[in-house]
Amino acid sequence: MDVMQFLVYLSLCTICALSKPTDKKERVHHDPQLSDKVHDDAQNFEYDHDAFLGAEEAKTFDQLTPEESKERLGMIVDKIDSDKDGFVTEGELKAWIKKAQKKYIYDNVERQWHEFDLNQDGVISWDEYRNVTYGTYLDDPDPDDGFNYKQMMIRDERRFKMADKDGDHIATKEEFTAFLHPEEFDYMKDIVVLETMEDIDKNGDGIIDLEEYIGDMYSHDGDTEEPEWVKTERQQFVEFRDKNRDGKMDKEETKDWILPSDYDHAEAEARHLVYESDQNKDGKLTREEVVDKYDLFVGSQATDFGEALVRHDEF
């Protein structure tokens, strides 16, 4: 595995070349989309299937008979009912939907886990991560690629320590996930903001001024005329980013920019699924109520096969 490729993938704010004049670097972290389908129940329930299962798993259910879909959906309901009281609430459904949509993150962590857990003790120490990631690169004072590996290692160690909630200098799988994907964890969001500000704040004064903000997205490269989107970004900075109108973005203003409090799609979808399935209108769902509306939750395109066309492991 190419170490630098991994570092570029890992870091949210990687030290990298300036964008091409017509390209725009995206710093804002949005929740992943629940589906790229149109949400129109009058036409089909494909959006709901993607939201509930994740797009890839939804394809699996398309290959099952209705009976098999209902059976597997019943098993999923048992998993969603986290307090095991026999009911699925909006909160439990929302948590499940978020988990389904972020499954790609956890799949990535699984792929990386065994590479870093060198002694196979079920946790990853900082030393294990450092040795695998940087190896002998720290011994080269003048690397060919020009990267400052020591500086990058210091940043990684700081992030690792923040992800290590109990301060024991080793990362559980959950802590390692927070280290690799800090934007997904509330207690890690400050480090996302800090790393972003460090990358953009070229003069090191702890704030982001207009030219630093633009310079992070766009390099003139000798051009005398800025593209229209750059002019729009200048206006965005003045009118919306710099909330207190002091000509710069501080930590809180930067956080509002890169970690916006967007509309919660998972919460809206959970509310929709409960509304459509709650037969007795008590605000929560039984296993039977969910399975009765299986076409809304998971669907099935195979209607005349005795067995699934394709077998997959349980979701």
Side-chain angles (χ1 to χ4, degrees):
M1 175 184 181
D2 186 281
V3 176
M4 284 312 305
Q5 285 182 343
F6 174 72
L7 286 174
V8 170
Y9 172 80
L10 168 64
S11 179
L12 291 170
C13 310
T14 306
I15 303 170
C16 60
L18 290 171
S19 304
K20 295 179 181 178
T22 55
D23 291 343
K24 179 181 177 182
K25 183 185 297 182
E26 180 60 69
R27 289 282 187 181
V28 182
H29 300 277
H30 297 284
D31 285 339
Q33 290 185 350
L34 300 185
S35 174
D36 59 3
K37 312 291 195 314
V38 176
H39 195 184
D40 185 356
D41 289 350
Q43 294 186 12
N44 56 60
F45 298 126
E46 291 183 357
Y47 178 98
D48 301 297
H49 300 166
D50 286 359
F52 182 71
L53 296 167
E56 290 303 314
E57 189 65 16
K59 296 176 184 177
T60 299
F61 274 82
D62 285 345
Q63 307 302 319
L64 302 179
T65 67
E67 291 73 23
E68 288 171 321
S69 289
K70 292 176 182 179
E71 181 181 358
R72 290 185 63 177
L73 177 58
M75 292 187 289
I76 291 175
V77 171
D78 293 338
K79 293 181 179 182
I80 299 173
D81 179 18
S82 58
D83 60 7
K84 306 304 177 187
D85 67 349
F87 298 97
V88 171
T89 64
E90 280 187 15
E92 289 172 329
L93 196 48
K94 173 184 172 181
W96 173 264
I97 291 170
K98 284 187 174 292
K99 179 181 177 182
Q101 297 313 309
K102 294 177 179 178
K103 186 174 182 291
Y104 76 95
I105 290 177
Y106 294 98
D107 288 345
N108 170 254
V109 173
E110 286 295 331
R111 286 192 293 270
Q112 305 294 341
W113 182 261
H114 298 293
E115 183 171 355
F116 291 103
D117 183 15
L118 298 179
N119 60 6
Q120 300 183 359
D121 62 350
V123 292
I124 295 174
S125 69
W126 165 247
D127 286 341
E128 285 177 315
Y129 176 80
R130 180 190 59 201
N131 291 339
V132 171
T133 303
Y134 295 100
T136 60
Y137 284 84
L138 296 175
D139 298 329
D140 187 352
D142 188 23
D144 294 337
D145 52 34
F147 276 78
N148 186 327
Y149 291 97
K150 185 174 183 179
Q151 180 184 354
M152 295 175 71
M153 186 191 72
I154 292 172
R155 280 174 56 131
D156 272 355
E157 185 175 14
R158 182 181 62 189
R159 188 196 287 188
F160 191 96
K161 288 180 177 178
M162 181 168 285
D164 176 22
K165 296 183 74 171
D166 56 10
D168 61 357
H169 307 296
I170 57 176
T172 63
K173 190 162 290 186
E174 185 74 5
E175 290 170 335
F176 192 61
T177 303
F179 170 68
L180 292 178
H181 301 278
E183 74 282 0
E184 302 295 335
F185 294 79
D186 285 339
Y187 81 99
M188 294 293 290
K189 288 184 177 178
D190 282 347
I191 200 69
V192 177
V193 176
L194 177 59
E195 290 179 358
T196 301
M197 294 191 73
E198 287 177 344
D199 286 342
I200 301 175
D201 175 24
K202 299 304 182 184
N203 62 11
D205 63 355
I207 54 177
I208 299 173
D209 61 37
L210 175 57
E211 294 311 314
E212 289 171 331
Y213 173 79
I214 295 298
D216 180 60
M217 305 176 184
Y218 171 73
S219 174
H220 284 274
D221 280 353
D223 292 350
T224 57
E225 185 71 18
E226 289 182 340
E228 284 301 317
W229 71 260
V230 176
K231 297 176 182 177
T232 300
E233 282 297 336
R234 288 185 180 276
Q235 185 176 355
Q236 289 285 317
F237 183 94
V238 173
E239 296 184 3
F240 301 105
R241 310 279 184 248
D242 177 18
K243 297 182 184 299
N244 61 7
R245 301 294 192 272
D246 64 353
K248 52 188 178 290
M249 284 197 301
D250 57 23
K251 178 181 176 182
E252 288 305 314
E253 290 168 330
T254 303
K255 184 175 183 179
D256 289 343
W257 166 43
I258 66 171
L259 298 169
S261 300
D262 287 339
Y263 173 76
D264 194 326
H265 296 279
E267 182 176 313
E269 178 64 12
R271 189 180 303 116
H272 167 69
L273 292 174
V274 170
Y275 176 82
E276 294 293 335
S277 309
D278 184 14
Q279 296 176 15
N280 62 2
K281 302 304 177 185
D282 63 351
K284 52 190 177 183
L285 303 178
T286 64
R287 192 176 195 267
E288 290 72 23
E289 285 176 322
V290 175
V291 173
D292 282 348
K293 294 286 288 186
Y294 87 99
D295 55 334
L296 172 66
F297 286 87
V298 298
S300 175
Q301 292 181 358
T303 57
D304 49 359
F305 289 84
E307 296 183 354
L309 300 177
V310 179
R311 293 286 185 181
H312 292 269
D313 293 334
E314 180 184 344
F315 179 55

